[in-house]
Amino acid sequence: MLSRIQELAAKLSPRLIEIRRHIHSHPELSGQEHQTSAFVAGVLSSSGLHVQEGVGQTGVLGELKGSGEDGRILAIRTDMDALPIHERTGLDFSSRCQGIMHACGHDVHTTVGLGTAMVLSEIAQDLPGKVRFLFQPAEEIAQGASWMVDAGAMKDVSAVLGVHVFPSIPAGSIGLRYGALTAAADDLEIIIIGESGHGARPHEAIDAIWIASQVITTLQQAISRTQNPLRPVVLSIGQINGGRAPNIIADQVRLCGTVRSLHPETRTNLPNWIEQIVSSVCQSYGAKYQVNYRPGVPSVQNDYGLTQIFQSAAEEAWGSDRVQVLPEPSLGAEDFSVYLEHAPGSMFRLGVGFKDRNINYPLHHPQFEVDESAIFTGVVTMAYSAYKFWSAS
Ligand code: NI
């Protein structure tokens, strides 16, 4: 079956590169993937899948029926949205939309999803159960997966597979990870409330700016002394607002940040831990405070058995020297984890780096580019893993 899948994918490759370039030059922002989803729906229906549009706002579901009696549904998820970045690659299929760019490779993910659907539709008689393709919107704002789940996309799903491009792995290779792949990402807002006064008479006021600086310093120091160093926590304050004039002591400061963690247990304790520190600093200097901790997406925890399927499928297809088991997770976030609250799953990293270039620009960079030969690698890896899913479990 592997050689059949490789043959089908090779035959489709020129068309898939055209599809990728079309999507690349017509990027759409999170939640506005109207043209992209209409295009995806068109390709899926012409491959004979049962298609549902408008799932989770601008998402698309495509269902492929196998010929067997296995009641399980395997989901394959790809994301479709682009970023508010002005493209500077100079490619002749560059973005035609001012200030919007597929700089995270979601154009490649969508293409790999479509290619996998086309390949699997050709071998549907050899699939014992159903494959459901989830084309989700709004991954970049970490909301699309929840919209899809709320719309029933994960109903009766037994397992879910995903893919993300990775420029630091060369095209033709893939990366895998057992367990944690990405971090939980939560939003933090801290408001410090002091009392205004004249800049010349600080003792008559409660200086919210100075107290905010103490809060930030204490939080950063306390992480290194109170959090288990083997269980990473990153807290970054990215925004500070407060104050009215150089000679007026500020009565209010708002700090906003992001909190990343890998271990579910660590994450559960973070809101209280942060509040205790803010509270003790503010109390010492007579300020009031508010802490708003908003949970975002959980950490992606790859299922062992499904990751094994990826590994054995990829090693058969490409040889073990082109399959890297990644030593470290990333503290980036990925809303694929939202699906994992409903079924076990695994996501692999698709190498898209150019072997002959010194610089492969990172994701979210205006000059980010992918070696398009990776599309073939992605489609074969995904389609063959899907095929193996039925026999492996
Ligand atoms: Ni992405």
Side-chain angles (χ1 to χ4, degrees):
M1 185 52 71
L2 173 60
S3 57
R4 171 105 175 99
I5 287 173
Q6 279 177 321
E7 235 170 70
L8 288 164
K11 219 169 84 189
L12 280 170
S13 273
R15 165 110 196 273
L16 292 176
I17 287 173
E18 259 174 43
I19 286 177
R20 186 259 158 167
R21 292 183 179 187
H22 172 78
I23 299 172
H24 188 85
S25 57
H26 299 87
E28 292 173 297
L29 291 175
S30 306
Q32 297 168 30
E33 306 85 343
H34 302 284
Q35 285 182 50
T36 312
S37 58
F39 178 82
V40 163
V43 176
L44 292 175
S45 350
S46 65
S47 299
L49 277 80
H50 179 261
V51 178
Q52 239 182 297
E53 289 182 74
V55 180
Q57 304 193 23
T58 40
V60 183
L61 283 190
E63 209 157 82
L64 180 66
K65 258 200 178 137
S67 63
E69 294 298 304
D70 195 319
R72 290 175 300 167
I73 300 176
L74 174 66
I76 295 178
R77 173 274 203 174
T78 49
D79 43 14
M80 304 187 290
D81 54 329
L83 287 158
I85 291 176
H86 187 74
E87 179 162 355
R88 289 197 288 115
T89 59
L91 292 166
D92 55 7
F93 56 90
S94 282
S95 169
R96 293 191 197 161
C97 309
Q98 183 81 3
I100 307 178
M101 177 189 178
H102 269 295
C104 197
H106 298 192
D107 51 340
V108 174
H109 306 164
T110 304
T111 308
V112 168
L114 290 173
T116 304
M118 290 185 224
V119 167
L120 292 181
S121 70
E122 296 284 331
I123 59 160
Q125 68 282 359
D126 295 303
L127 300 176
K130 274 186 198 166
V131 184
R132 185 182 293 163
F133 292 88
L134 278 57
F135 290 86
Q136 81 156 73
E139 194 284 326
E140 293 294 353
I141 56 169
Q143 291 184 27
S146 306
W147 298 348
M148 295 291 281
V149 167
D150 291 346
M154 285 298 281
K155 193 169 181 289
D156 302 324
V157 165
S158 301
V160 55
L161 304 180
V163 57
H164 203 293
V165 300
F166 212 48
S168 58
I169 298 176
S173 294
I174 70 152
L176 296 166
R177 193 152 204 288
Y178 290 86
L181 182 75
T182 62
D186 301 326
D187 290 333
L188 176 64
E189 181 191 47
I190 301 169
I191 298 166
I192 316 270
I193 304 145
E195 253 177 61
S196 193
H198 197 291
R201 292 187 287 278
H203 57 290
E204 293 171 2
I206 297 174
D207 185 350
I209 286 184
W210 173 68
I211 296 168
S213 75
Q214 296 300 308
V215 164
I216 295 170
T217 307
T218 311
L219 281 170
Q220 298 301 0
Q221 288 173 343
I223 280 179
S224 89
R225 300 295 85 189
T226 60
Q227 295 295 319
N228 181 345
L230 298 176
R231 298 192 162 188
V233 176
V234 169
L235 187 159
S236 293
I237 299 293
Q239 238 183 336
I240 299 188
N241 290 296
R244 289 190 186 84
N247 60 350
I248 302 173
I249 287 175
D251 63 347
Q252 189 165 313
V253 172
R254 182 170 168 264
L255 310 171
C256 294
T258 182
V259 186
R260 308 291 169 115
S261 59
L262 282 183
H263 291 259
E265 216 179 284
T266 309
R267 187 188 187 204
T268 313
N269 297 327
L270 285 170
N272 268 340
W273 177 78
I274 291 169
E275 172 133 14
Q276 267 177 25
I277 288 167
V278 176
S279 154
S280 67
V281 174
C282 287
Q283 271 178 18
S284 307
Y285 303 115
K288 297 194 178 84
Y289 69 89
Q290 260 178 45
V291 175
N292 301 314
Y293 192 98
R294 293 182 207 96
V297 298
S299 158
V300 169
Q301 301 282 336
N302 281 337
D303 177 75
Y304 190 86
L306 294 166
T307 309
Q308 249 178 346
I309 294 176
F310 274 147
Q311 183 164 8
S312 71
E315 284 182 350
E316 264 183 72
W318 320 116
S320 52
D321 55 329
R322 281 164 63 186
V323 180
Q324 308 179 9
V325 176
L326 303 167
E328 287 166 0
S330 145
L331 290 179
E334 162 63 70
D335 76 2
F336 183 67
S337 57
V338 172
Y339 300 107
L340 303 183
E341 295 178 326
H342 303 270
S346 187
M347 166 176 267
F348 75 90
R349 300 235 188 247
L350 177 65
V352 293
F354 293 87
K355 289 180 199 87
D356 54 351
R357 291 192 188 174
N358 292 330
I359 300 175
N360 279 294
Y361 288 101
L363 299 172
H364 295 211
H365 191 283
Q367 286 165 278
F368 170 70
E369 275 187 61
V370 306
D371 179 335
E372 289 173 322
S373 68
I375 293 170
F376 172 74
T377 316
V379 170
V380 172
T381 305
M382 191 60 98
Y384 190 45
S385 300
Y387 171 76
K388 282 175 82 94
F389 166 76
W390 308 104
S391 49
S393 38

